[in-house]
Amino acid sequence: MQLNKESITDAAISLLNAYGLSDMTMRRVAKQLEVAPGALYWHFKNKQELVDATARRILAPLLEPDVQGRVEKRNAQDTCAQLRALMISHRDGAEVVSAALSSPTLRTELETLIAGALDTPDEIGAFTLLHFVVGAVLAEQTQLQLQELTGEEGEKVDFEQRFSTGVQIIIVGLDAIRDIR
Amino acid sequence: MQLNKESITDAAISLLNAYGLSDMTMRRVAKQLEVAPGALYWHFKNKQELVDATARRILAPLLEPDVQGRVEKRNAQDTCAQLRALMISHRDGAEVVSAALSSPTLRTELETLIAGALDTPDEIGAFTLLHFVVGAVLAEQTQLQLQELTGEEGEKVDFEQRFSTGVQIIIVGLDAIRDIR
DNA sequence: ACCTGAACACCGTTCAAGT
DNA sequence: ACCTGAACACCGTTCAAGT
């Protein structure tokens, strides 16, 4: 079978879920595909591009239009919750998305998505929400896998509750500040 | 001169500012100190520990008690602004702090600091602010150095304005939601 | 106690050469 | 057009041995 971006991203995702981001190396991806490491560089300019593609794959359900050819309209609370759910559903998902956020196009897509989900679309509101969401899930996943390693000690935190409260704080603040600004 | 944590962290910081985080390697730090790479491992258990120490050094003015032996009390807006200022004053500062945030002790210290700066100390408020602050500055620094590389194209964004508005949104939201919760 | 030398097991990336 | 082989220039970490 011929190599292409899709199959390479498939392999990357499977390595990610099996062993984590630090083991998602170009060489291991190549080995999984039974191909020389250099082969990947015909399809991706560098590793950053593969990480970007991996992040896009993780967020695909939110980014891609559905079968009817449109992205379903949701409210901001739901959009953020789904963003979190998608990142959580993959090992090191938030780390991958955070790394890919340096790509201006993905960042803009996500900001636009969130802005559109707000009652009153707002650039700064979307910016604030996006960076809270990614930061919070990053912290959540880091803490969880630290607990797994050290042996499960640590107060149980209701991450979902904490997350949605944070989102609500920002949404409420956004409404309250619009009059002042 | 004998090696110790302080001198090693000094060298790490100077490499960071000169060449960025990706060039702050154990081997380069050792070379700068004219020492074998293995020597560092007598003082730091691994690289993560050195990164943690580097983050602490960057945030020292906020973390350490002043000459009078107490940390000065500030409001949340100022505390966040100083957090941003400290990260910005070092190359890849936000990336270093973000990486060190996986250390639970530093994370807790910062959350406590922010919580204490709020009118009504609030765990979730501190959590929300901290992750927004780090995420926002991370984005700011990434975008700025991308513009330097690609040659200065891109709409000018008033990062400071955007940042403080984001902080204000969260603080206002925090006040507004306390009654509801 | 503190450091060197030398090795181990990796990385990302490039590029002539093959098909 | 697409991939292999082989190299280049690195990494973090360990550890016997030295002082």
Side-chain angles (χ1 to χ4, degrees), chain A residues 45 102-105, chain B residues 141-155:
Chain A
K45 172 162 128 279
S102 56
S103 148
T105 69
Chain B
Q141 280 187 320
T142 315
Q143 194 179 330
L144 282 178
Q145 68 188 71
L146 203 89
Q147 280 175 0
E148 280 170 25
L149 284 179
T150 57
E152 213 57 44
E153 36 168 327
E155 0 77 84

Side-chain angles (χ1 to χ4, degrees), chain B residues 32-54:
Chain B
Q32 167 124 331
L33 294 162
E34 294 177 292
V35 103
L40 305 183
Y41 287 83
W42 204 93
H43 302 274
F44 289 102
K45 172 161 128 279
N46 51 36
K47 187 178 180 180
Q48 179 67 48
E49 273 201 352
L50 176 54
V51 172
D52 290 357
T54 308

Side-chain angles (χ1 to χ4, degrees), chain A:
Chain A
M1 241 303 276
Q2 267 239 143
L3 223 52
N4 57 47
K5 292 198 188 219
E6 208 192 322
S7 60
I8 295 174
T9 310
D10 286 347
I13 287 270
S14 88
L15 277 175
L16 183 71
N17 285 321
Y19 309 107
L21 181 57
S22 67
D23 286 312
M24 193 186 103
T25 68
M26 296 303 267
R27 293 177 109 98
R28 278 188 206 249
V29 171
K31 177 168 272 177
Q32 166 125 330
L33 295 162
E34 294 178 291
V35 105
L40 304 182
Y41 288 82
W42 205 92
H43 302 274
F44 289 101
K45 172 162 128 279
N46 50 36
K47 187 180 181 180
Q48 179 67 47
E49 273 201 353
L50 176 55
V51 173
D52 290 357
T54 307
R56 284 206 130 75
R57 176 68 67 83
I58 291 174
L59 302 177
L62 261 174
L63 295 174
E64 277 165 21
D66 62 14
V67 267
Q68 272 78 36
R70 49 175 171 74
V71 178
E72 203 184 331
K73 176 90 176 179
R74 290 176 193 79
N75 66 37
Q77 197 56 268
D78 286 353
T79 302
C80 291
Q82 198 187 346
L83 213 49
R84 171 171 175 271
L86 290 174
M87 289 192 281
I88 281 186
S89 71
H90 292 84
R91 166 111 88 128
D92 295 337
E95 218 178 324
V96 174
V97 171
S98 177
L101 235 48
S102 56
S103 148
T105 69
L106 179 62
R107 215 200 49 228
T108 307
E109 280 177 63
L110 288 173
E111 282 178 356
T112 307
L113 187 84
I114 295 175
L118 289 169
D119 290 338
T120 318
D122 183 312
E123 196 201 333
I124 300 200
F127 173 83
T128 308
L129 273 172
L130 176 60
H131 292 295
F132 167 71
V133 167
V134 176
V137 181
L138 202 53
E140 175 176 352
Q141 281 188 319
T142 316
Q143 195 179 329
L144 283 178
Q145 68 188 75
L146 204 88
Q147 280 176 359
E148 281 171 26
L149 284 179
T150 58
E152 213 57 44
E153 37 168 328
E155 2 77 85
K156 293 164 213 152
V157 192
D158 188 342
F159 287 110
E160 191 172 347
Q161 159 71 20
R162 183 144 82 163
F163 176 83
S164 65
T165 306
V167 170
Q168 213 196 330
I169 288 171
I170 296 173
I171 293 177
V172 169
L174 211 47
D175 282 337
I177 214 174
R178 222 184 317 269
D179 316 320
I180 314 171
R181 204 163 38 171

